[in-house]
């Protein structure tokens, strides 16, 4: 059973990867217009089949995990992020069945791959539920919210494609510049995932002791220390490329139990992301988004705008139901109040307000197209902040870590 | 405002964009082919026609979508501020004035001083929400009536400029003889696509999904009901949020209510090795459940008797319900010392004289030990601390019980005084005492923290949310589509409008026209 679970997850990962490659291949056909069109259709169909088999295996993974643990797997960071990945793929399949836009797959599937890889960085073992999570609302609330977020993520991807097309014809615009920033940030996330796997593969360890509120605490590092805890003392540091001690100490106010370690991880991700970005620029000899232009050259911009809007119009009610209404029902049952201004709750509200503003702005002229696409990107950034920053940095009732 | 009399002879109210009768654009230069402004069917709203009094100004302010968007965005930004540091309700301290400065330094203190640490109940945040509420009411009233009228009074025959300036539109030369069969075929094929068809001379109006236009109004009404529901909690007696701690075996009155709750048993259960499959030895055991078995009593106001009204277990996620009252498992404190057993020893004979129980919550004053030896409690500090050099108690909970005893014996002239703090006899203080107290046994029980909640507006709140969801679904999953067709002087005009999902509309039009032997393409690039 456990084997089945592990293997189905692994297979899911590779199928998503293959689907992504297939979609990219579909968009880069050669020959006459007609040959190209036939190429897109043929390879697009194959990509979809891979994506669908991947999604089915993802379901197999989820179901075996339910059998093993006795609860719906949305109870920690790994489980939730993996499910969010599934939601993105599911939303993509739905949108694809309406619009048949192969280019969308060339972006959504790589996003799904990054998502699943990011999920796998977190501890994966099956843990029994603490009493606060023992409720069927755990599954209902979190899955509905994630499915909504999946559709919103597809809206983000369509917006991104719109922006790439737009920047292509306005290479000196601010949009082009900011688009590169978006690409660099995505590379930082990729760098984080790669680093996490590399160092855990190398079995890297370092630990420091320092005092917090007059109590001695030990911080375990999983990446070589660029930055050490303020006033910390090394207990044991595995040398890495000649790095044997932190280059500098964290500022004194960052005294939280794991603050220095988190800062260290962020620094690693940012630096390696930038290095990765630089390398790619050197290899491609043009901006990152420019190298994606050939894949989206034939996309109709008005259609992309509509797909982005449509995906958000589908995601918004589902997100509202899951992240706000079901959340309120559960909060009422578990804590006797349907709303408590917990950071996680507030960020769900912020996401919701953001997309409400988006829908209202779409009612007015001048907000379609460029601005609207940027908002689709912004909304997804908020969702990711919610997932990454709020869960890991701001503690709350909900924090999974 | 310019003249609003349309060429067709209809007199429109000031502010009208498209003639109410024939749809002809009224306010723009006529020879452009920019798609038309189709919001509210081009009808004038109150906010555009009345601009004189203060009331009009307020009305206009709150009915503007632009203002609504500003309100939403300001609320959004403000909400972010509140998550920078934890709110007062979430800090592990009852002293926010010192906590923020201590924990987060200067910025923390500033945060507290600015009132951001309790932001969501501040007057300005509540005002923001209230303004959104007012805006919701006014904007809906401002629009729903004109929209309703415009949609009900639609005319089938439209001005040709109105048709050609729709986002999806086509024209075709069609001769007089061909036109009737063609119009018939179009009506038929659109009808097969579930459009409602109205025909008038050489014009067709095909329409479907009009109800989806009410979606936004329904969802706004849901939001208004929700906001009213949250306001209603201010009605006295509609909302209660308290907590009680009850030890096993104890019966306690619920704050502000005429109910009493008895804790029959409180249990915490851990997962065993088998269930916690991955539990390595270094992991802490994981709690499987917290449960309190309670009996709820109501006090009869006349006889003062407690009447049992409800009983059962309370678990996390499974509160006990009785009428409006809800009791939640919120906290569990195991092994609270409830009573101690002390023994008295005669140091001269090294003989144990006897022992007695002291109830830490309700101690008796005198204890007879043996042969006339008596212990008297002179002073008792359940939660002992020194305040300067004066002993005192922090609370009524026996976290650190301290006693001053007086021991009298027929064999001693003078009574002896002795101290005992948290079970330790401070023998050193009074070395020449003859009698020594010793802690023999503890009696511990589990204590449950229960939340006591009443929220009578919950049904209203969830009704509002339900209506909101219904409105959202209607408005976002269904679309209002209209197709205008008109034959005039040898030309067939076809124009279509939808409030969303143009892709679907275009595909539908292509299928419907193809079925009527009219091979129109509606894809935007081939326009
Ligand atoms: C947080 C509060 C609000 C939420 C969640 C909300 C939600 C929505 C949604 C989902 C729609 C449908 C959008 C669409 O069909 O694309 C909508 C439409 C609309 N909203 Fe709101 N709204 C809010 C506040 C307001 C306020 C304060 C106003 C006041 C001016 C307003 C005015 C409108 C208007 C005029 C429409 C378009 C109606 C139509 O299409 O006929 N909304 N709203």
């Amino acid at each position: 059973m456990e084997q089945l679970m592990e293997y189905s997850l692994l297979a899911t990962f590779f199928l998503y990867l293959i689907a992504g490659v297939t979609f990219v291949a579909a968009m880069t056909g050669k020959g006459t217009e007609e040959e190209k069109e036939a190429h897109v259709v043929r390879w697009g169909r194959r990509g979809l089949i891979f994506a669908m088999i991947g999604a089915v295996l993802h379901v197999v993974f989820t179901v075996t995990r339910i059998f093993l643990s006795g609860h719906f797997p949305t109870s920690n960071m790994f489980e939730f992020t993996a499910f969010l990945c599934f939601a993105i793929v599911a939303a993509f399949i739905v949108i694809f069945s309406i619009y048949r836009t192969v280019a969308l797959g060339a972006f959504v599937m790589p996003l799904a791959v990054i998502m699943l890889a990011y999920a796998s960085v977190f501890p994966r073992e099956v843990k029994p539920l603490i009493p606060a999570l023992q409720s069927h609302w755990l599954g209902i609330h979190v899955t509905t919210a994630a499915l909504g977020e999946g559709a919103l993520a597809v809206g983000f991807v369509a917006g991104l494609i719109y922006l790439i097309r737009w920047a292509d014809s306005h290479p000196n615009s601010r949009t082009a510049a900011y688009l590169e920033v978006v690409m660099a940030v995505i590379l930082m996330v990729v760098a984080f995932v790669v680093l996490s796997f590399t160092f855990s593969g190398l079995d890297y360890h370092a630990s420091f002791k320092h005092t917090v509120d007059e109590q001695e605490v030990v911080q375990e590092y999983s990446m070589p220390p660029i930055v050490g805890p303020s006033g910390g003392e090394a207990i044991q540091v595995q040398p890495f490329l000649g790095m044997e001690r932190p280059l500098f100490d964290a500022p004194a106010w960052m005294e939280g139990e794991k603050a220095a370690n988190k800062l260290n991880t962020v620094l690693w991700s940012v630096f390696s992301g930038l290095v990765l970005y630089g390398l790619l620029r050197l290899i491609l000899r043009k901006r990152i988004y420019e190298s994606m232009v050939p894949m989206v050259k034939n996309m109709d911009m008005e259609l992309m705008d509509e797909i982005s809007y449509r995906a958000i119009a589908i995601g918004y009610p589902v997100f509202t139901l899951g992240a706000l209404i079901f959340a309120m029902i559960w909060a009422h049952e578990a804590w006797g109040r349907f709303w408590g201004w917990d950071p996680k709750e507030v960020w769900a509200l912020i996401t919701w307000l953001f997309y409400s503003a988006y829908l209202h702005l779409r009612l007015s002229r001048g907000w379609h197209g460029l601005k609207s696409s940027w908002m689709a990107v912004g909304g997804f950034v908020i969702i990711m902040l919610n997932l990454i920053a709020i869960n890991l940095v701001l503690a709350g009732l909900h924090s999974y870590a | 405002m310019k003249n609003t009399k349309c060429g067709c002879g209809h007199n429109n109210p000031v502010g009208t964009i498209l003639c109410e009768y024939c749809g002809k654009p009224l306010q723009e230069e006529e020879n452009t082919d920019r798609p038309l402004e189709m919001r509210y069917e081009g009808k004038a709203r109150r906010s555009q026609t009345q601009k004189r009094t203060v009331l009009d100004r307020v009305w206009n302010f709150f009915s503007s979508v632009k203002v609504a968007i500003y309100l939403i965005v300001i609320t959004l930004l403000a909400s972010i501020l509140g998550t920078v540091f934890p709110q007062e309700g979430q800090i592990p301290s009852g002293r926010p004035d010192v906590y923020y400065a201590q924990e987060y330094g200067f910025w923390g203190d500033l945060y507290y001083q600015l009132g951001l640490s309790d932001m969501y109940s501040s007057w300005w945040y509540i005002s923001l929400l209230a303004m959104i509420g007012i805006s919701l009411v006014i904007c809906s009233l401002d629009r729903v009536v004109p929209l309703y009228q415009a949609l009900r009074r639609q005319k089938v025959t439209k001005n040709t400029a109105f048709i050609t300036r729709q986002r999806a539109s086509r024209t075709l030369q069609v001769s007089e003889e061909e036109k009737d069969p063609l119009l018939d075929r179009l009506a038929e094929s659109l009808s097969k696509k579930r459009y409602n068809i109205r025909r008038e001379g050489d014009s067709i109006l095909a329409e479907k999904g009009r109800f989806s236009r009410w979606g936004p109004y329904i969802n706004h009404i849901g939001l208004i009901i929700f906001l009213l529901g949250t306001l209603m909690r201010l009605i006295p007696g509609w909302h209660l949020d308290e907590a009680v701690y009850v030890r096993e075996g104890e019966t306690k009155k619920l704050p502000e209510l005429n109910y009493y709750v008895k804790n029959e048993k409180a249990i915490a259960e851990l997962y065993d090795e088998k269930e916690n499959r991955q539990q390595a030895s270094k992991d802490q055991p994981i709690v499987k459940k917290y449960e309190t078995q309670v009996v709820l009593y109501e006090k009869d106001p006349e006889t003062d008797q407690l009447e049992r009204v409800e009983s059962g277990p309370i678990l996390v996620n499974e509160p006990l319900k009785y009428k409006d009252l809800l009791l939640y498992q919120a906290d569990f404190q195991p092994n609270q010392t409830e009573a101690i057993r002390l023994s008295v020893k005669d140091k001269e004979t090294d003989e144990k004289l006897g022992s007695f129980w002291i109830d830490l919550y309700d101690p008796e004053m005198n204890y007879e030990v043996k042969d006339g030896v008596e212990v008297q409690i002179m002073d008792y500090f359940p939660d002992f601390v020194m305040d300067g050099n004066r002993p005192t108690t922090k609370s009524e909970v026996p976290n650190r019980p301290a006693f001053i005893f007086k021991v009298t014996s027929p064999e001693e002239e003078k009574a002896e005084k002795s101290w005992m703090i948290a079970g330790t006899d401070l023998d050193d203080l009074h070395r020449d005492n003859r009698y020594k107290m010793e802690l023999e046994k503890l009696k511990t029980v589990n204590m449950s923290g229960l939340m006591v909640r009443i929220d009578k507006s919950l049904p209203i709140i969830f009704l509002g949310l339900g209506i909101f969801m219904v409105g959202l679904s209607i408005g976002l999953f269904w679309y209002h589509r209209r197709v205008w067709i008109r034959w005039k002087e040898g030309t067939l005009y076809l124009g279509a409008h939808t409030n969303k999902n143009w892709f679907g509309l275009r595909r539908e039009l292509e299928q419907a026209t193809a079925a009527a032997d009219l091979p129109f393409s509606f894809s935007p690039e081939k326009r």
Side-chain angles (χ1 to χ4, degrees), chain A residues 381-401:
Chain A
V381 169
I382 296 182
I383 292 176
M384 285 297 107
L385 274 182
N386 211 341
L387 180 69
I388 300 172
I390 313 304
N391 269 323
L392 301 184
V393 182
L394 299 174
L397 286 172
H398 283 76
S399 81
Y400 283 137

Side-chain angles (χ1 to χ4, degrees), chain A residues 1-314:
Chain A
M1 200 73 163
E2 218 149 314
Q3 297 274 314
L4 177 63
M5 182 177 85
E6 289 293 329
Y7 285 135
S8 52
L9 185 67
L10 203 63
T12 305
F13 179 81
F14 282 109
L15 274 157
Y16 287 167
L17 190 63
I18 295 169
V21 173
T22 314
F23 278 122
V24 171
M27 296 315 292
T28 46
K30 292 193 175 58
T32 63
E33 275 304 307
E34 260 140 54
E35 282 167 357
K36 266 192 199 161
E37 210 146 287
H39 179 84
V40 167
V41 171
R42 192 164 351 106
W43 285 85
R45 196 180 310 129
R46 289 177 195 163
L48 183 71
I49 290 172
F50 286 130
M52 282 167 86
I53 301 175
V56 169
L57 284 167
H58 206 145
V59 172
V60 171
F61 161 75
T62 310
V63 171
T64 43
R65 201 163 168 105
I66 294 176
F67 270 107
L68 280 174
S69 66
H71 60 84
F72 204 92
T74 42
S75 66
N76 60 29
M77 265 307 259
F78 162 67
E79 293 179 339
F80 176 72
T81 316
F83 190 81
L84 185 55
C85 166
F86 171 75
I88 294 175
V89 175
F92 163 69
I93 293 174
V94 170
I95 297 285
F96 188 90
S97 70
I98 304 175
Y99 291 98
R100 312 259 158 209
T101 44
V102 176
L104 204 57
F107 289 82
V108 172
M109 295 318 295
L111 178 68
V113 170
I114 297 177
M115 210 69 185
L116 200 53
Y118 177 74
S120 312
V121 169
F122 296 93
R124 263 176 300 180
E125 71 260 36
V126 175
K127 279 248 173 84
L129 289 183
I130 55 166
L133 293 180
Q134 288 166 11
S135 163
H136 47 275
W137 286 106
L138 168 68
I140 301 173
H141 151 58
V142 185
T143 50
T144 317
L147 287 172
E149 290 180 358
L152 297 173
V154 173
F156 150 74
V157 171
L160 203 63
I161 295 177
Y162 184 97
L163 292 173
I164 294 173
R165 285 275 279 131
W166 198 89
D168 183 38
S169 48
H170 302 77
N172 294 322
S173 60
R174 281 218 303 259
T175 284
Y178 287 135
L179 203 51
E180 273 308 272
V181 176
V182 172
M183 297 296 161
V185 171
I186 294 175
L187 286 177
M188 287 170 195
V189 177
V190 173
F192 167 74
V193 173
V194 173
L195 287 171
S196 301
F197 278 110
T198 312
F199 286 120
S200 82
L202 293 173
D203 205 19
Y204 185 88
H205 279 297
S207 50
F208 293 87
K209 63 172 183 229
H210 64 127
T211 49
V212 175
D213 291 341
E214 285 148 37
Q215 271 185 355
E216 186 153 288
V217 294
V218 175
Q219 286 210 27
E220 297 287 348
Y221 274 48
S222 47
M223 292 188 194
I226 299 176
V227 53
S230 160
E233 198 181 313
I235 300 175
Q236 169 252 352
V237 178
Q238 260 170 268
F240 175 78
L241 300 179
M243 268 173 71
E244 282 180 32
R245 67 167 73 105
L247 302 179
F248 58 94
D249 273 2
W253 54 266
M254 284 191 112
E255 55 173 18
E257 215 181 312
K258 292 181 186 145
N261 180 23
K262 284 175 186 168
L263 178 65
N264 188 51
T265 310
V266 170
L267 287 179
W268 265 106
S269 310
V270 170
F271 288 140
S272 334
L274 288 177
V275 169
L276 203 57
Y277 177 81
L279 282 177
L280 274 177
R281 284 288 296 257
L282 278 180
I283 297 169
L284 297 169
R285 303 208 164 267
K286 51 185 155 190
R287 288 188 250 182
I288 310 286
Y289 83 80
E290 282 172 346
S291 61
M292 297 178 175
V293 166
M295 287 199 294
V296 298
K297 201 85 195 174
N298 286 325
M299 296 308 300
D300 174 50
M301 288 178 73
E302 200 182 324
L303 182 63
M304 270 302 142
D305 182 54
E306 179 171 327
I307 294 177
S308 174
Y309 171 55
R310 191 77 189 286
I312 291 174
I314 292 173

Side-chain angles (χ1 to χ4, degrees), chain B residues 238-306:
Chain B
W238 274 50
H239 188 239
L240 181 76
D241 176 1
E242 292 282 351
V244 280
Y245 278 90
V246 207
R247 280 170 291 129
E248 281 176 314
E250 189 189 19
T251 304
K252 220 172 189 173
K253 183 178 181 313
L254 298 183
E256 297 185 37
L257 296 172
N258 209 15
Y259 293 115
Y260 287 72
V261 67
K262 178 171 185 206
N263 181 345
E264 301 246 274
K265 197 165 174 49
I267 6 180
E269 219 174 89
L270 300 177
Y271 282 104
D272 59 32
E273 302 269 325
K274 205 167 94 249
E275 289 166 314
N276 187 1
R277 305 165 338 110
Q278 313 265 343
Q279 186 173 317
S281 50
K282 70 176 165 71
D283 280 6
Q284 298 206 336
I286 298 177
V287 175
K288 184 173 179 184
K289 78 172 178 190
Y290 293 116
E291 176 177 340
T292 309
Q293 287 156 10
V294 298
V295 183
L296 187 70
Y297 301 95
E298 187 166 9
K299 192 178 208 167
D300 188 323
E302 275 156 32
T303 59
D304 263 5
Q305 291 283 312
L306 292 186

Side-chain angles (χ1 to χ4, degrees), chain B residues 441-500:
Chain B
K441 251 191 205 157
L442 293 172
K443 186 171 160 217
T444 61
V445 291
N446 294 334
M447 181 158 81
S448 283
L450 300 178
M451 276 190 294
V452 185
R453 293 282 160 98
I454 290 179
D455 202 343
K456 289 196 184 169
S457 56
L458 270 181
I460 300 173
I461 285 172
F462 282 113
L463 174 76
L465 291 174
I467 294 177
F468 178 67
M469 269 320 290
V470 170
L472 269 191
S473 313
I474 291 179
L476 293 172
F477 296 152
W478 275 272
Y479 324 101
H480 181 210
R481 293 174 176 172
R482 276 172 297 171
V483 184
W484 295 275
I485 302 171
R486 182 171 177 190
W487 183 88
K488 193 180 170 195
E489 293 156 12
T491 309
L492 181 81
Y493 300 88
L494 187 151
H497 181 76
T498 179
N499 59 342
K500 43 184 65 93

Side-chain angles (χ1 to χ4, degrees), chain A residues 2 5 68-69 97-100 125-135 137 213 253 255 300 302-303 306 309-310 312-318 320-321 324-325 328-347 349-357 359-365 368 382 390 394-395 397, chain B residues 28 34-40 65 68-69 72-73 75-76 79-80 82-87 90 102-103 120-121 125 129 132 167 220 223 226 230 233 271 275-278 283 286-290 315-319 321 326 328-329 451 453 455 458 461-462 465-466 468-469 472-473 476-477 479 499-504 506-507 524-525:
Chain A
E2 218 149 314
M5 182 177 85
L68 280 174
S69 66
S97 70
I98 304 175
Y99 291 98
R100 312 259 158 209
E125 71 260 36
V126 175
K127 279 248 173 84
L129 289 183
I130 55 166
L133 293 180
Q134 288 166 11
S135 163
W137 286 106
D213 291 341
W253 54 266
E255 55 173 18
D300 174 50
E302 200 182 324
L303 182 63
E306 179 171 327
Y309 171 55
R310 191 77 189 286
I312 291 174
I314 292 173
Y316 177 82
V318 180
T320 307
L321 188 66
L324 294 168
I325 299 183
M328 286 188 202
I329 297 177
W330 187 15
H332 165 69
E333 275 191 10
W335 299 310
R337 67 195 184 31
F338 62 89
W339 194 259
W341 299 107
D342 168 83
K344 201 83 220 251
E345 287 171 346
V346 177
W347 276 91
L349 175 71
I350 290 168
T351 314
W352 182 77
L353 286 173
F354 184 88
Y355 282 107
S356 306
L359 287 177
H360 285 101
L361 284 168
R362 291 272 321 186
L363 295 171
S364 42
R365 274 233 179 108
H368 291 217
I382 296 182
I390 313 304
L394 299 174
L397 286 172
Chain B
E28 307 170 0
R34 232 167 34 135
L36 285 178
E37 180 61 81
M38 288 290 289
R39 280 183 298 156
Y40 322 112
V65 181
I69 294 170
I72 291 175
V73 172
T75 311
L76 184 161
S79 307
I80 294 178
T83 62
V84 174
F85 295 124
Q87 293 284 301
Q90 280 137 12
Q102 207 173 54
E103 207 58 23
Y120 300 111
S121 45
Y125 192 81
L129 297 184
I132 291 182
R167 251 172 84 182
H220 290 161
L223 283 179
F226 170 82
T230 56
R233 303 164 96 188
Y271 282 104
E275 289 166 314
N276 187 1
R277 305 165 338 110
Q278 313 265 343
D283 280 6
I286 298 177
V287 175
K288 184 173 179 184
K289 78 172 178 190
Y290 293 116
L315 289 99
V316 185
N317 278 309
E318 286 171 44
K321 292 188 180 120
L326 285 161
Y328 292 85
Q329 179 76 40
M451 276 190 294
R453 293 282 160 98
D455 202 343
L458 270 181
I461 285 172
F462 282 113
L465 291 174
F468 178 67
M469 269 320 290
L472 269 191
S473 313
L476 293 172
F477 296 152
Y479 324 101
N499 59 342
K500 43 184 65 93
N501 190 5
W502 285 88
F503 179 83
R506 289 186 172 119
R507 194 164 52 181
E525 67 267 34

Side-chain angles (χ1 to χ4, degrees), chain B residues 296-438:
Chain B
L296 187 70
Y297 301 95
E298 187 166 9
K299 192 178 208 167
D300 188 323
E302 275 156 32
T303 59
D304 263 5
Q305 291 283 312
L306 292 186
E307 266 174 60
R308 184 186 173 114
V309 289
E310 187 63 89
S311 66
I314 303 180
L315 289 99
V316 185
N317 278 309
E318 286 171 44
L320 182 86
K321 292 188 180 120
Y322 177 68
K323 292 186 184 162
D324 288 329
L325 177 72
L326 285 161
L327 292 177
Y328 292 85
Q329 179 76 40
D331 192 8
F332 185 87
Q333 304 202 336
N335 305 330
Q336 299 287 306
T337 313
E338 179 179 58
I340 52 176
R341 190 175 171 87
L342 298 182
S343 62
V344 182
K345 200 169 88 177
D346 186 342
K347 282 201 271 189
E348 268 171 29
T349 58
D350 212 17
E351 175 200 7
K352 182 179 151 185
L353 295 179
S355 57
F356 56 91
W357 281 104
I358 303 179
D359 182 341
L360 293 178
Y361 285 87
D362 185 16
E364 280 171 40
M365 283 302 120
N366 286 299
Y367 302 87
E368 165 90 47
V369 185
K370 194 185 177 187
D371 301 338
V373 177
E374 236 179 69
V375 177
Q376 201 184 340
I377 297 182
M378 286 172 66
D379 223 335
Y380 170 44
F381 310 97
D383 199 357
F384 173 80
V385 281
M386 289 301 288
D387 179 12
N389 51 12
R390 209 170 50 85
T392 179
T393 186
K394 267 199 298 197
S395 70
E396 294 309 305
V397 185
N399 291 327
R400 195 166 178 242
F403 293 94
I404 305 176
F405 294 115
K406 191 166 100 180
V407 188
T408 50
S409 154
E411 292 173 31
E412 293 285 321
E413 261 168 51
K414 255 184 33 212
E416 285 181 7
K417 201 172 139 188
S418 68
W419 269 91
M420 173 176 263
I421 298 174
T424 323
D425 187 357
L426 299 187
D427 210 26
D428 288 352
L429 277 182
H430 14 76
R431 223 172 272 272
D432 34 347
N433 272 0
R434 172 168 170 188
Y435 298 103
K436 180 177 160 57
M437 310 276 189
E438 262 168 2

